[in-house]
Amino acid sequence: MSAAKRLRLPSAPWTRAYEAASARWAALPGWARWVGYALILVAALALPSIPGLGDIMAPGSSWERILFYPIAIYVLLALGLNVVVGYAGLLDLGFVAFFAIGAYTNAILGGTYGWGFWTVLPIGIALAMLAGLLLGSPTLRLRGDYLAIVTLGFGEIIRVTANNTEFLGGPRGINQIPRPPSVEGVDALTFSITDSKPYYYLAVAFITVFIVILKRLERSRVGRSWTALREDEDAAELMGVPTLKFKLWAFTVGAAVGGATGVLYASFQTAIRPTDFTFIVSATILAAVVLGGAGHIPGVILGAFLVAWLPELARDLNKYRVLAFGAALVLLMIFRPQGLWPSRLREAELKEGEGGIGRLGGEVGAVVTQEGL
């Protein structure tokens, strides 16, 4: 009996329910699906205004503020990292670098030179994509832990450079970053220091746009090439897939999402410092992607929400809340290594023993025994 057959990953009830619901959803006419998407969007926009929800979800904290940061910001970052880790199977431990590049672009162009938010946004995205291209071109021939070490080093290079460059504010960072322009007479689009709702609504708009773009890519030739890379890079190359080209695609697309998120974050904070962009941010977002279900957008959103929200819910535990949060993640990875809400393809890969994240832990579903050596 093969190792993959000896170990069966548990299939959660919600996974089976999701598969049944997916089949029904696919059978609906197009207009009905669009109505469903609109209802989900309306529900997301209503979250800050539901009476009593904040007392349940974030007792002792500002629910409106938490909805934007960390929840919405983590969701955006997880969507970007999911392109690299979930779609292409490349282990990136320095994703925070693209987040920092977007934030510092807004800080310099907006805070120092007075450029507007909507002018800075495409520049921040372009610079982050350029950084992804420059990082990927010489390093994406590496695999597994070697690629992880290089990306980790890149993230630290960006942080240390910002910390030691006077033009970037050094360890003091940059202050007085302008907010997005408000729409006069519309409270939901009046950006101020006292109201987090407009930032949350803007973040929801960003999330919606990126989900549409990423789903289009997922169903295109690019997405199919990423899937082939994740499952078996050597086989994909033998079948004619230009692996380096599509790895660069993954890095640049993921970097674009990270850069846009950094621009938005800097406008909300109005002051950034190098300590905002440490390795722990990359590790947390990676945990969100793996926890929710790498390669599956609904699962990644769920994972990012839980990683951002659970520490806030456990705030009463004081210094023990991080310990409790870490223990919960360990238990989830023991009993649900495929994630809380994986795609059917991803779950099948894990059952066959192919982890597909940078070939690290690629034998998640395998059990090595003496007879198998």
Side-chain angles (χ1 to χ4, degrees):
M1 184 182 296
S2 68
K5 291 182 179 178
R6 285 197 297 272
L7 179 63
R8 294 293 183 184
L9 295 175
S11 183
W14 58 81
T15 302
R16 295 192 294 271
Y18 169 73
E19 291 176 357
S22 296
R24 296 192 188 96
W25 180 265
L28 291 174
W31 66 267
R33 289 198 295 272
W34 281 107
V35 169
Y37 295 141
L39 291 175
I40 293 172
L41 180 59
V42 169
L45 293 173
L47 283 177
S49 305
I50 298 175
L53 183 61
D55 296 333
I56 299 171
M57 300 295 288
S61 301
S62 171
W63 173 236
E64 295 175 4
R65 188 176 182 87
I66 289 171
L67 271 175
F68 175 77
Y69 182 78
I71 291 176
I73 292 295
Y74 278 20
V75 168
L76 278 167
L77 290 174
L79 287 173
L81 185 58
N82 183 54
V83 175
V84 182
V85 173
Y87 288 168
L90 305 171
L91 188 57
D92 185 355
L93 296 181
F95 191 73
V96 70
F98 307 122
F99 182 43
I101 288 170
Y104 271 97
T105 300
N106 193 6
I108 295 169
L109 297 181
T112 305
Y113 295 104
W115 291 27
F117 175 84
W118 296 109
T119 304
V120 173
L121 180 62
I123 298 174
I125 293 174
L127 289 178
M129 294 178 71
L130 178 61
L133 188 64
L134 293 176
L135 170 65
S137 297
T139 62
L140 285 179
R141 292 176 177 83
L142 302 173
R143 300 188 189 182
D145 48 354
Y146 301 104
L147 178 61
I149 291 170
V150 170
T151 55
L152 171 61
F154 177 68
E156 287 300 293
I157 286 170
I158 295 296
R159 183 185 64 80
V160 172
T161 300
N163 192 67
N164 293 296
T165 304
E166 190 62 31
F167 177 68
L168 299 177
R172 299 184 308 276
I174 300 177
N175 302 317
Q176 298 181 341
I177 303 171
R179 302 180 184 279
S182 300
V183 178
E184 188 175 351
V186 181
D187 291 340
L189 294 176
T190 301
F191 298 91
S192 68
I193 195 171
T194 58
D195 190 2
S196 302
K197 284 184 182 179
Y199 294 97
Y200 172 70
Y201 298 143
L202 185 58
V204 170
F206 276 41
I207 291 169
T208 303
V209 170
F210 284 129
I211 286 175
V212 172
I213 294 173
L214 295 178
K215 288 300 290 185
R216 295 275 184 181
L217 285 173
E218 182 182 348
R219 295 168 181 168
S220 69
R221 178 172 176 260
V222 175
R224 292 193 295 272
S225 299
W226 285 339
T227 301
L229 274 171
R230 184 184 69 227
E231 292 183 353
D232 193 321
E233 183 177 336
D234 293 327
E237 195 160 1
L238 287 172
M239 294 299 292
V241 176
T243 54
L244 181 60
K245 171 185 173 181
F246 286 106
K247 284 181 179 181
L248 289 174
W249 262 100
F251 257 72
T252 52
V253 172
V257 182
T261 308
V263 173
L264 180 60
Y265 172 79
S267 290
F268 173 73
Q269 294 291 94
T270 69
I272 58 170
R273 291 165 181 78
T275 52
D276 295 334
F277 309 103
T278 58
F279 165 70
I280 193 62
V281 177
S282 293
T284 302
I285 303 305
L286 179 61
V289 172
V290 177
L291 171 66
H296 190 220
I297 287 178
V300 167
I301 293 174
L302 173 63
F305 177 85
L306 292 176
V307 166
W309 169 63
L310 285 178
E312 297 295 334
L313 183 66
R315 186 171 289 276
D316 290 341
L317 296 177
N318 297 323
K319 62 183 179 181
Y320 298 106
R321 67 178 179 142
V322 177
L323 176 63
F325 177 62
L329 289 181
V330 170
L331 290 174
L332 283 170
M333 288 299 97
I334 290 173
F335 294 105
R336 291 289 297 172
Q338 67 270 56
L340 291 173
W341 197 352
S343 65
R344 283 174 289 181
L345 176 60
R346 177 72 177 154
E347 194 162 21
E349 289 174 6
L350 283 165
K351 285 182 178 179
E352 292 300 321
E354 293 294 332
I357 297 180
R359 316 307 295 171
L360 280 178
E363 297 75 28
V364 171
V367 176
V368 178
T369 61
Q370 188 66 33
E371 63 184 72
L373 295 177

